[in-house]
Amino acid sequence: MTKLRELILRSLWLAPLGLSLVFVLGVLAWVRANEADEQDQQRQTLISDALSTEAQLRDRIDEEQAHLRQLADGLAGQAPSIATLAAHPEVNAGLRRLWQSVTWLDARNRVLAEVPEDAESAHSDDGLSLHLTARVAPDGVLVVRYAPALMLKRGVPWWLARKYDVQLVDSADQVIASTTESPLRAAQGPRPSYRVSLTGPLRASPLAQATLTDAAVELTLRDPATNGTRPLTWVLVAGFLPLIAVASWLIRRQMRQVQRAEVAGRTEAAWRRAMEDSALVALRARDFDGRLLYVNRTFCDMVGLPAEQLVGLLPPMPYWPPDALAEVAERNRRNLAGQAPREGYEARWRHSSGRMLDVMVFESPLVDAGGRQIGWMGSIIDITERRRLEERERRQVETLAHNARLTMLGEVASTLAHELNQPLTAIASYGAGITNSLAKLGVQDELVCGALQRLGQQAAHAGRIVARIREFLTRREPRHEPCDLNEVISAALDLLRRDCQRRGVALELSLAPGVPSVLADAVLIEQVVINLVRNAADALQARDGTRRIAVSSRVVGDFVRIDAQDNGPGLGGRRVEQLCAPFYSTKADGMGMGLAICRSIVEAHQGVLDASEAPGGGALFSFSLPLSREEATHA
Ligand code: ADP
């Protein structure tokens, strides 16, 4: 089917030639029909002209016969003589008209008189002669000899003689008279002619009683109209066909060129399409109003919409993030005004699935074939993955830095703990030594002995804390033992209560009953609580009114959450990351390591430490620790 179509398309250039041939054949047929018509008409005219010529000639002969009769009547009874004849006006008039001679015969056909006297020689050049006769009373006969050739010359109108060869012919096809000296019949081939029998008293001989009944007038067309038309037609046709053939050939050549150009164009378009579609860069063309004129496949994949839905769209675009429409619209206006940064700009787009993507857009002028700018061409690269990797790298660097600081912190703390261990042990030893000495001396003072005992206990506790923190910082692994967090909090607050009273800070404790035990290092968690409450008490120093710290515990999902909230100045917009950074402190004598260690401890327990502004003003520090697996399933 396609082959047939191709064949038809290929032979299309022949169509004008074929149509021209049909046209030429049509013209020829028309010319032929016209010629036939013309010939028909010519024939009709010829017939009517022949009939009218015959009638005119007959009238003429009849007229001459009437003149002769008048003459015969005039001569009746007169003595036949040349003078009588010559004197008669009819004779003279007849001779002036047509008559060659007038002869008066007696009953025995002897010539009595004849005018003119040299009648035989007078009209010898007028060819064959015919005769008219009339009786003259009492017994004579008048014979008029006349030349039919002259009769034709005078009797046939000039226009008819110009158009036709008019001839008088007898039954044997012998020409009796003709309007032309030498008929052109042989030279010009057969020409249309028409013969009408001339009825009337045509007498070949004066004595013959019979007339030439089968004589006829024949009209032959001198100049048939068709003779000139045909060759001209053929010349025109012969000239026209090669011209059309040349024109068709030129059309064919032109068609081939167009076909070649079309194929080249199609191939180029296919190439371009393939290249554009396989490009990893998304492409979009827009007019000055921001209407999308073109998008490639990568662009469609990037925003998750088909080209049919995108092309023709005006801003706002469906891939703009709905929460930043105003900002994107403003940037779009800037870009359409030609002020997009040459080095490209970053944007956030939304895939039709709702997924957000980071893109880098480069705008450049869109120029048509005439070099006129008709819009903007955008090349877009998806940098989401690159962004993600960068972010991960940044986090890694941050974590590395954090770890490096922690390591350093660990080393500092470890050294510190090592250094503190000796004085603490010394305190405990001195305490024990004093107690022993007092016992030897017999001093039984309970107050002193009790104080010395608590001194020893506190020194030992301090030693344990230092050792545990040192252990944690060097091993980074807390001891996981089931512990009751409410108890840990209470113990920590007991240690702080006296200090808080001194500072005028009210400690409020609100522990949820039946908080399940968690797997944790109680000594470390206690340090976290102590640190949070002590920081809160430090912050409350600046406050004049009531100073309050509320510590609470509750179960939230699979976690136990502990909050420490104060009514101090709050965090002033600082985030937990900043506060927990090692060595960050706003206090004159602060080390800036408290929160850093707290966070490390909580995270080492798979927990989270957070800080925020308290709802009624002040700071809210909280940390959550996961319930042990069994507790979590019971909870
Ligand atoms: P330090 O106590 O040595 O300053 P921390 O790491 O414990 O170190 O605390 C860091 C900083 O966090 C403090 O200097 C303080 O500015 C801020 N901070 C901690 N707790 C509070 C709080 N409850 N209210 C306001 N600021 C606080």
Side-chain angles (χ1 to χ4, degrees):
M1 204 57 200
T2 44
K3 274 201 170 175
L4 182 72
R5 213 172 140 248
E6 217 168 89
L7 195 74
I8 291 173
L9 278 178
R10 271 192 181 184
S11 331
L12 212 59
W13 65 275
L14 278 171
L17 189 64
L19 287 175
S20 307
L21 272 174
V22 170
F23 173 73
V24 163
L25 288 176
V27 167
L28 284 179
W30 175 76
V31 166
R32 256 214 120 78
N34 223 23
E35 271 177 10
D37 259 13
E38 217 171 296
Q39 277 172 359
D40 220 33
Q41 214 151 8
Q42 252 179 12
R43 185 139 194 90
Q44 300 287 338
T45 319
L46 175 67
I47 292 169
S48 73
D49 284 350
L51 288 173
S52 85
T53 309
E54 186 268 343
Q56 278 179 30
L57 287 177
R58 196 160 20 85
D59 285 355
R60 184 87 195 220
I61 292 165
D62 288 350
E63 211 176 294
E64 293 304 327
Q65 186 67 49
H67 279 298
L68 182 60
R69 191 156 314 267
Q70 247 180 345
L71 176 64
D73 290 348
L75 292 176
Q78 289 195 29
S81 75
I82 292 173
T84 316
L85 273 180
H88 203 286
E90 275 292 352
V91 173
N92 288 321
L95 287 174
R96 271 199 305 279
R97 277 197 314 274
L98 192 66
W99 299 353
Q100 287 174 314
S101 64
V102 184
T103 314
W104 196 338
L105 304 175
D106 63 8
R108 276 176 284 169
N109 289 335
R110 282 176 304 185
V111 176
L112 299 177
E114 187 175 46
V115 285
E117 283 167 67
D118 55 345
E120 280 310 313
S121 61
H123 294 287
S124 56
D125 55 336
D126 287 331
L128 200 76
S129 298
L130 292 177
H131 300 84
L132 297 171
T133 56
R135 299 219 154 263
V136 186
D139 52 0
V141 175
L142 270 182
V143 175
V144 165
R145 188 160 60 92
Y146 68 94
L150 208 62
M151 182 179 71
L152 281 185
K153 267 182 202 153
R154 296 203 179 149
V156 175
W158 64 269
W159 55 270
L160 213 68
R162 213 154 116 181
K163 198 170 169 190
Y164 304 104
D165 285 343
V166 185
Q167 292 174 331
L168 269 181
V169 288
D170 63 10
S171 55
D173 225 6
Q174 283 288 313
V175 177
I176 302 168
S178 170
T179 49
T180 47
E181 304 301 317
S182 53
L184 299 168
R185 183 178 297 201
Q188 292 190 341
R191 289 179 297 153
S193 64
Y194 191 73
R195 192 177 284 192
V196 187
S197 30
L198 186 61
T199 50
L202 282 188
R203 249 175 251 277
S205 137
L207 301 175
Q209 286 307 307
T211 54
L212 287 173
T213 47
D214 45 2
V217 183
E218 185 182 81
L219 263 67
T220 307
L221 199 66
R222 290 179 73 88
D223 200 9
T226 51
N227 283 1
T229 319
R230 231 177 243 165
L232 182 65
T233 311
W234 284 115
V235 165
L236 285 177
V237 166
F240 178 68
L241 280 179
L243 279 179
I244 283 294
V246 169
S248 299
W249 179 77
L250 285 175
I251 287 175
R252 182 178 173 230
R253 212 175 65 160
Q254 193 67 21
M255 272 175 74
R256 287 227 166 140
Q257 273 174 3
V258 169
Q259 264 171 2
R260 270 200 293 275
E262 220 174 83
V263 169
R266 268 206 302 269
T267 315
E268 199 197 306
W271 263 100
R272 209 180 51 225
R273 183 92 227 167
M275 284 193 296
E276 285 165 1
D277 283 347
S278 48
L280 292 174
V281 176
L283 299 171
R284 71 155 183 221
R286 297 187 297 168
D287 64 11
F288 288 117
D289 297 329
R291 182 183 288 103
L292 280 175
L293 303 174
Y294 165 80
V295 288
N296 73 345
R297 191 181 294 167
T298 313
F299 188 94
C300 297
D301 293 345
M302 202 176 267
V303 299
L305 292 169
E308 302 79 58
Q309 269 187 40
L310 288 166
V311 171
L313 278 188
L314 274 167
M317 297 301 176
Y319 48 84
W320 287 4
D323 52 346
L325 276 183
E327 187 194 326
V328 181
E330 181 52 40
R331 192 177 58 205
N332 185 56
R333 264 194 294 280
R334 175 201 71 182
N335 295 343
L336 291 177
Q339 278 155 14
R342 285 188 66 81
E343 64 282 2
Y345 61 90
E346 283 184 25
R348 250 175 112 63
W349 283 1
R350 203 180 66 131
H351 189 269
S352 62
S353 65
R355 173 170 55 85
M356 298 303 290
L357 49 138
D358 293 303
V359 291
M360 188 82 193
V361 186
F362 301 90
E363 298 279 10
S364 55
L366 177 66
V367 176
D368 69 3
R372 205 163 43 94
Q373 188 185 347
I374 53 166
W376 296 100
M377 187 78 204
S379 323
I380 301 106
I381 304 170
D382 186 350
I383 55 165
T384 314
E385 186 57 22
R386 199 173 86 193
R387 265 289 116 78
R388 204 179 60 76
L389 290 174
E390 277 174 8
E391 180 64 17
R392 209 174 73 179
E393 211 170 300
R394 193 182 62 77
R395 279 219 202 98
Q396 272 173 353
V397 169
E398 238 175 47
T399 314
L400 268 179
H402 181 71
N403 286 345
R405 273 184 301 221
L406 278 185
T407 310
M408 197 173 86
L409 174 70
E411 277 163 16
V412 171
S414 175
T415 318
L416 210 62
H418 180 71
E419 294 298 323
L420 284 175
N421 219 14
Q422 270 183 333
L424 283 173
T425 317
I427 290 169
S429 305
Y430 282 126
I434 293 169
T435 309
N436 287 341
S437 299
L438 285 177
K440 274 181 195 162
L441 291 171
V443 180
Q444 294 289 321
D445 192 328
E446 262 187 41
L447 194 71
V448 175
C449 286
L452 280 174
Q453 198 185 354
R454 279 201 294 281
L455 180 81
Q457 282 170 353
Q458 288 301 319
H461 187 59
R464 271 202 309 280
I465 292 168
V466 167
R468 192 65 61 80
I469 289 181
R470 189 181 173 205
E471 192 185 334
F472 169 68
L473 291 175
T474 46
R475 277 198 304 117
R476 312 216 113 258
E477 210 19 69
R479 285 183 190 179
H480 289 292
E481 290 155 357
C483 66
D484 182 342
L485 280 181
N486 279 352
E487 268 178 26
V488 174
I489 296 166
S490 301
L493 293 196
D494 281 347
L495 287 173
L496 295 166
R497 208 171 298 275
R498 204 169 296 162
D499 188 36
C500 284
Q501 272 171 2
R502 199 166 41 80
R503 295 190 192 201
V505 176
L507 264 181
E508 290 170 15
L509 191 60
S510 148
L511 301 173
V515 168
S517 66
V518 295
L519 284 179
D521 190 326
V523 176
L524 294 179
I525 298 299
E526 190 186 79
Q527 288 310 302
V528 173
V529 177
I530 290 171
N531 206 332
L532 294 183
V533 174
R534 197 166 276 157
N535 271 346
D538 287 347
L540 285 169
Q541 286 297 103
R543 188 179 160 84
D544 292 333
T546 51
R547 298 165 180 171
R548 194 167 44 80
I549 301 173
V551 180
S552 63
S553 70
R554 63 197 151 110
V555 177
V556 181
D558 291 345
F559 288 82
V560 181
R561 178 177 164 145
I562 290 105
D563 287 343
Q565 183 182 342
D566 62 64
N567 63 342
L571 301 178
R574 291 166 296 172
R575 294 170 62 83
V576 69
E577 286 80 17
Q578 189 184 354
L579 297 171
C580 292
F583 305 116
Y584 174 80
S585 175
T586 53
K587 299 170 198 165
D589 53 349
M591 280 268 291
M593 287 192 295
L595 284 176
I597 293 173
C598 287
R599 191 182 189 183
S600 295
I601 291 171
V602 171
E603 284 177 359
H605 283 83
Q606 279 82 46
V608 184
L609 182 118
D610 199 10
S612 59
E613 302 288 350
L620 168 62
F621 280 82
S622 63
F623 65 94
S624 304
L625 295 178
L627 291 173
S628 60
R629 210 162 289 162
E630 302 97 73
E631 298 295 350
T633 46
H634 289 311

